[in-house]
Amino acid sequence: MNRLFLFLAALLLGAAPAAADILVENVNGYTLREDGRLARFQAMWIGDDGKVRQLFEAGDRRPSRTAFRIDGRGRTLIPGLIDAHGHVMGLGMGALLIDLSDTNSLQEAQARIRAYAAANPSPRWIVGRGWNQERWHLGRFPTAADLDAAVADRPVWLERVDGHAGWANSLAMREANITAATQAPQGGRVERVGRNPSGIFVDNAMSLVERAVPPALPVTRDRALARAQEILLSFGVTSTADMGTNAADWETMRRAGDLGQLRVRIFSYASGIDNLLAIAGTRPTPWLYDGHLRMGGVKLYLDGALGSRGAWLKADYRDAPGQRGLPLLSDTELKNQMSRAAMDNFQIAVHAIGDAANAELLSAIEELSDTYKGDRRWRIEHAQIVDPADLPRFGRNSIIASMQPTHETSDWQMAEARMGNERLAGSYAWRTMLQNHVPLAFGYDYPVESPNPFPGLAAAVSREDAEGQPPGGWFPAQRLSMEEAFAAFTRGGAFASFAEDRLGTLEPGRFADFIFIDRDIFANLDQRAVRETKVLETYVAGRRVWAREN
Ligand SMILES: [Zn+2]
């Protein structure tokens, strides 16, 4: 009797939500409508296919019989958020590896590394990320000697917070066969102390050390993907673009999908043409695993980041005369690679941060649009520093601006140092993008920034950082309304990955991907209150996939 009961209960719990309809009622519900305006609802009917069947306002007639009912207890319900630019495996691996992103000084970082080495005797290579000499107020890059002072008897390799530079200790350089004679490859730079490499390797030069790091084992990668999904769902992110999927990433995602362990929906963009052709072949893949995974395009890099002065600028860096950053691809290489992907109807997403990189990419898209017509949704990733003269060019070919609001609030002081205020009028220009009818898609570029979308929403509406700096916002004319910012974090991300017919809103026919949150973000909250929003429960296709523990 008891066993039979348990068996039936397990059957119901395991199979029922996907196989029967659900009424979610007593909620303070919001979604966006086709016209971009906010719609409110009190109840939502979800079909047995995991899609929204109908929304109900007060007084609407509800279905009298549904298999399941969920009482929302008056809490605020919104669509699951979509991150338009993240790095899924980077997030998961980062969560397993040493993380220096919250260290405030070199000394603190050294102590962290020493403790990690003691607590983790294997693997032998100590790998991590997140250091930022700006945050440490170091006034210079750290060196191999700084790292040797923490750990000298095991190789150590640590990526900068933006992923555009790496820091090696002496043993790591020795195992990578790096000597005074080592030259940086094209698109890279080896920092030196006199003739000797200092331990810092910028952009393409990072490969000099990376190739000596033993690859992660599949079991570690599986753990990393599980961890990444847990983190994303805890922040209410139900779908994400993965910007730069390689073969090992794809295999990890497929292993999870085969086992029914993909909970977050992933829009995959292959890391470069070789991965694209090896993984997807001759066309975008179909949606796999009930709409949880699809490779639709390719991610290319045209330049680096502002922090490491790798962003490609039209004029010299103000704080480094003679330097303008580097294009990572020649004009011909860029157009050849874009053509190769476009001819097989893949979507193209290109990283461009500096004003020279954005101008070059806009020209390439304008030229290729003559050949590759139709609904292409060319994507410019970051579009951070744009010459105001180039801003209207985004609208002409319906180019998607894939931007990260928290980059603005994290970087504005550094951007002023690198560029000077007078050259920043077209920077992080969200309002101008919308005025030019440019589709906006927002993300966090995690793990560069935490994937928590609420600081991103707060940044988008205020252009103030967590401390409220600068008061009133940096270039405040570029602030967005909460509805506009929310659209870029939901519908915008779906549109940017050709998924707006299935995701991004809770209109009938879309997947019931939604979250309960602890406050009403549309009730004119102070940006600090928006920033602190907590997700209570996360649902994908009507199924609860994460809940906060009390
Ligand atoms: Zn990125």
Side-chain angles (χ1 to χ4, degrees):
M1 177 66 198
N2 214 358
R3 261 220 226 122
L4 182 67
F5 174 77
L6 284 174
F7 171 75
L8 286 173
L11 203 65
L12 280 172
L13 285 172
D21 63 339
I22 307 167
L23 186 68
V24 187
E25 49 191 352
N26 192 16
V27 300
N28 176 35
Y30 291 97
T31 189
L32 287 163
R33 293 192 308 219
E34 211 66 61
D35 62 5
R37 302 259 302 280
L38 212 52
R40 304 191 65 162
F41 57 90
Q42 286 194 343
M44 175 169 63
W45 186 19
I46 302 166
D48 53 13
D49 55 0
K51 292 179 175 171
V52 178
R53 204 174 274 182
Q54 204 175 337
L55 299 175
F56 305 96
E57 294 170 48
D60 289 349
R61 255 180 78 100
R62 316 237 167 125
S64 52
R65 304 176 64 156
T66 54
F68 288 89
R69 281 171 188 257
I70 296 171
D71 181 359
R73 288 176 279 137
R75 295 174 300 175
T76 296
L77 184 159
I78 60 176
L81 291 137
I82 298 179
D83 189 305
H85 182 127
H87 302 275
V88 175
M89 293 304 297
L91 179 66
M93 294 298 285
L96 299 181
L97 301 175
I98 184 166
D99 177 14
L100 301 175
S101 57
D102 63 347
T103 57
N104 291 311
S105 68
L106 175 61
Q107 290 70 28
E108 192 185 341
Q110 287 167 322
R112 177 85 55 89
I113 296 159
R114 217 173 280 128
Y116 180 91
N120 296 276
S122 74
R124 189 172 149 269
W125 273 73
I126 295 168
V127 179
R129 69 183 336 277
W131 60 272
N132 181 356
Q133 83 283 5
E134 302 277 338
R135 188 181 165 117
W136 296 343
H137 302 290
L138 197 58
R140 61 171 175 87
F141 277 128
T143 65
D146 292 327
L147 203 40
D148 293 343
V151 174
D153 59 347
R154 287 163 66 187
V156 184
W157 172 242
L158 304 167
E159 274 187 27
R160 195 178 184 279
V161 64
D162 61 5
H164 286 277
W167 176 24
N169 70 353
S170 297
L171 186 55
M173 288 201 285
R174 199 171 319 139
E175 296 203 2
N177 294 319
I178 286 163
T179 66
T182 300
Q183 295 299 315
Q186 201 195 348
R189 189 170 81 243
V190 176
E191 293 277 318
R192 290 173 198 273
V193 179
R195 285 179 55 244
N196 293 316
S198 74
I200 295 297
F201 300 82
V202 179
D203 284 324
N204 286 356
M206 292 167 69
S207 64
L208 297 170
V209 182
E210 274 164 2
R211 66 191 175 202
V213 181
L217 297 170
V219 60
T220 306
R221 302 180 62 81
D222 292 346
R223 276 174 55 213
L225 177 55
R227 189 84 189 88
Q229 294 190 82
E230 188 70 16
I231 295 169
L232 290 166
L233 295 171
S234 74
F235 288 128
V237 177
T238 51
S239 299
T240 182
D242 185 52
M243 274 297 158
T245 310
N246 65 29
D249 297 341
W250 182 257
E251 283 161 9
T252 307
M253 293 168 188
R254 292 296 303 261
R255 275 199 301 277
D258 289 345
L259 294 171
Q261 291 169 354
L262 274 183
R263 296 184 289 163
V264 175
R265 303 183 193 275
I266 301 173
F267 320 138
S268 161
Y269 292 78
S271 175
I273 295 291
D274 291 351
N275 279 309
L276 178 73
L277 301 181
I279 296 168
T282 54
R283 69 182 76 88
T285 72
W287 284 101
L288 305 167
Y289 311 115
D290 294 327
H292 277 78
L293 181 65
R294 176 176 185 259
M295 180 172 280
V298 67
K299 162 81 179 303
L300 304 173
Y301 281 91
L302 185 49
D303 68 346
L306 206 55
S308 48
R309 297 193 189 83
W312 181 28
L313 303 183
K314 289 186 174 184
D316 288 2
Y317 279 92
R318 194 177 75 156
D319 56 0
Q323 283 190 38
R324 292 187 178 191
L326 306 156
L328 302 178
L329 297 170
S330 72
D331 180 47
T332 309
E333 285 169 330
L334 174 67
K335 283 189 281 211
N336 279 349
Q337 295 190 17
M338 290 172 72
S339 290
R340 182 64 196 83
M343 72 174 66
D344 285 335
N345 289 306
F346 287 110
Q347 194 188 6
I348 292 150
V350 186
H351 167 120
I353 286 188
D355 50 9
N358 276 282
E360 167 92 0
L361 180 53
L362 287 162
S363 298
I365 292 170
E366 283 159 10
E367 194 179 320
L368 292 173
S369 292
D370 287 340
T371 307
Y372 304 106
K373 297 187 191 302
D375 185 3
R376 293 283 172 169
R377 303 192 198 178
W378 311 92
R379 294 177 56 140
I380 298 188
E381 301 305 313
H382 310 305
Q384 261 177 34
I385 313 291
V386 182
D387 184 337
D390 290 327
L391 281 170
R393 300 169 73 191
F394 278 80
R396 271 178 228 149
N397 289 295
S398 304
I399 295 163
I400 290 162
S402 166
M403 303 179 76
Q404 297 76 30
T406 48
H407 283 182
E408 183 271 301
T409 48
S410 300
D411 290 357
W412 64 275
Q413 284 168 306
M414 186 261 290
E416 287 185 355
R418 296 278 187 276
M419 306 278 299
N421 240 337
E422 55 293 345
R423 284 159 68 192
L424 291 171
S427 299
Y428 314 90
W430 313 318
R431 167 65 55 203
T432 309
M433 290 288 185
L434 286 185
Q435 283 164 346
N436 286 321
H437 306 288
V438 177
L440 274 183
F442 279 170
Y444 322 100
D445 201 8
Y446 64 81
V448 176
E449 303 269 351
S450 153
N452 180 355
F454 296 97
L457 285 166
V461 300
S462 70
R463 291 176 76 98
E464 291 175 357
D465 64 20
E467 281 75 49
Q469 295 298 324
W474 188 72
F475 288 93
Q478 296 294 342
R479 287 178 307 191
L480 299 182
S481 71
M482 180 55 88
E483 284 83 350
E484 289 165 337
F486 189 72
F489 273 119
T490 51
R491 279 172 44 154
F495 180 81
S497 290
F498 289 93
E500 75 280 7
D501 59 336
R502 56 179 57 222
L503 301 171
T505 77
L506 295 172
E507 293 166 297
R510 307 300 201 282
F511 276 111
D513 295 359
F514 62 92
I515 59 179
F516 285 109
I517 51 179
D518 71 346
R519 66 198 70 192
D520 184 346
I521 57 170
F522 294 106
N524 277 319
L525 298 181
D526 173 61
Q527 69 97 347
R528 284 188 179 84
V530 173
R531 192 175 287 277
E532 283 159 19
T533 304
K534 295 274 179 292
V535 174
L536 304 172
E537 294 178 30
T538 304
Y539 289 74
V540 171
R543 258 189 124 113
R544 195 169 80 174
V545 289
W546 184 86
R548 179 170 297 277
E549 286 166 22
N550 294 315

